[in-house]
Structures are given as C-alpha cells and as structure tokens.
Amino acid sequence: MKRLITFRHAKSGWDQPAIRDFDRALNDKGRRAAATMGRHLRQLGVRFDSVVASPAVRVAETLDAMFDGYGRRMAPSWDRRAYLATAATLLEMVQETPDRVEALMLVGHNPGLEELVLLLAGSDEKANGSTRDSVGEKYPTASVAEIRFDVDHWQDIHAGDGHLVRFIRPRDLDPALGPDRRL
C-alpha cells in the first residue's frame, strides 16, 4: 500500500507587487496555518517517508512552519517541476517515486494539487466527513489531502485508483484561519 499526502502552500503575501511570484513569502496567517496543520498531522499520527516540494519561497516557508508544528524535520527534495505544475506533471512525479517510500508528501500549488487529488481519488468518496466534492469546491491554502493506493509500486498509480482518506482545511481546525471576511 502507498499513501500520498498533498499539501498546498500556506497563505502568501501580496504586499510587494514588484516581487516575482516565485519569491512571494508567507504572511502571518499563512505561518500560523502551516504550523497548525503540522500539529494536527502529528496528533493524527500521519507519517511520511519523503517530501517532494516546489522550490518556491512560499512552499519552503510553509514546510518550515509545518515542521515546527509537526515536531520533526525532513530534508525535502526540491523539484522545479512542482512549481505551478499541472496534475499530469504531478502524477508523473508521483509515479517516479522510489518504491522504498511508503508515504510521500507532495507540496505545491493550485490548481495542480486540487486537480491531482480529484484525478486520483475515486468518485463519490467520503473521507472523515469530507467528500471528494469538498476538494473540488475549494482546495484552500495550507490544506492537506491524503490518498491511499492499494499498489506496491508508485508507477502503478493511475486516475481513479485512490481512496481519499482525509481532506483537512485550516479553517476546520481554527475558524480564524478561514477566509478573511470582506465588508
């Protein structure tokens, strides 16, 4: 059995319009959300053997804050292909994972991560009160989806093969980490 944990980067700042997208940093809410998700993953006992991530600044800072909350650090494998990748590119990356890895965390961006989860998770799937439709409705920043596959080899993973185990949004853990209200 293989498990894929997808983690969208946390909320980044837009306060420096001249900075290129790749270099945008997290804002305070994003740092809090990433650390909260790390603590929650630790409490749930979610384990992963390997982390593959986009090298964008906001992803690196998301991982740093998540590891603070999780209480354990890993050296991510930075893969430039994950930066703003399509679901097809992300699936190729998943299929290239060495079989010694049982649980992979893939950290990146939308819409690719959301599309990957929707591509891989079986239809009408329910996971801990969340449905696959919740992912399609919105995959907010700092959200995590976990998909289980009944395969021995990552290369054998294909569309619809997965079982959505959980989908967690920061606002599910702390309403203050949800969308900002507009007046």
Side-chain angles (χ1 to χ4, degrees):
M1 179 170 48
K2 302 293 183 189
R3 289 183 309 110
L4 173 65
I5 298 109
T6 61
F7 187 17
R8 182 177 175 199
H9 68 79
K11 190 95 174 135
S12 58
W14 289 94
D15 53 342
Q16 296 178 310
I19 198 165
R20 45 179 214 150
D21 180 73
F22 187 88
D23 296 324
R24 284 191 298 117
L26 294 186
N27 63 22
D28 290 340
K29 186 176 187 180
R31 281 186 282 283
R32 286 192 318 272
T36 297
M37 293 304 281
R39 282 189 298 277
H40 189 67
L41 292 174
R42 181 186 68 226
Q43 290 167 353
L44 291 173
V46 174
R47 302 271 184 249
F48 41 91
D49 313 47
S50 180
V51 177
V52 175
S54 160
V57 169
R58 61 190 179 274
V59 172
E61 290 182 355
T62 295
L63 277 171
D64 192 46
M66 186 278 291
F67 287 141
D68 285 346
Y70 192 74
R72 187 184 105 189
R73 292 196 172 271
M74 293 183 79
S77 174
W78 304 108
D79 193 325
R80 183 74 180 202
R81 294 177 298 167
Y83 177 65
L84 304 179
T86 65
T89 298
L90 294 171
L91 178 56
E92 287 175 11
M93 292 170 62
V94 168
Q95 291 170 330
E96 292 169 4
T97 303
D99 287 333
R100 65 178 154 54
V101 174
E102 294 298 319
L104 170 67
M105 178 178 274
L106 181 60
V107 190
H109 312 267
N110 253 8
L113 283 179
E114 175 181 322
E115 292 168 356
L116 179 68
V117 171
L118 293 173
L119 175 72
L120 294 176
S123 61
D124 298 328
E125 186 101 19
K126 293 194 179 211
N128 294 338
S130 294
T131 64
R132 181 184 179 280
D133 293 339
S134 297
V135 174
E137 183 180 305
K138 182 152 172 113
Y139 196 115
T141 53
S143 292
V144 171
E146 182 179 354
I147 305 169
R148 181 178 42 89
F149 302 92
D150 295 324
V151 298
D152 293 323
H153 309 285
W154 289 99
Q155 67 185 11
D156 294 336
I157 292 174
H158 303 287
D161 285 352
H163 306 284
L164 185 63
V165 174
R166 68 185 94 239
F167 176 58
I168 309 160
R169 302 167 299 190
R171 70 176 176 229
D172 297 332
L173 308 176
D174 180 351
L177 295 175
D180 293 330
R181 295 193 178 181
R182 299 181 193 254
L183 300 175

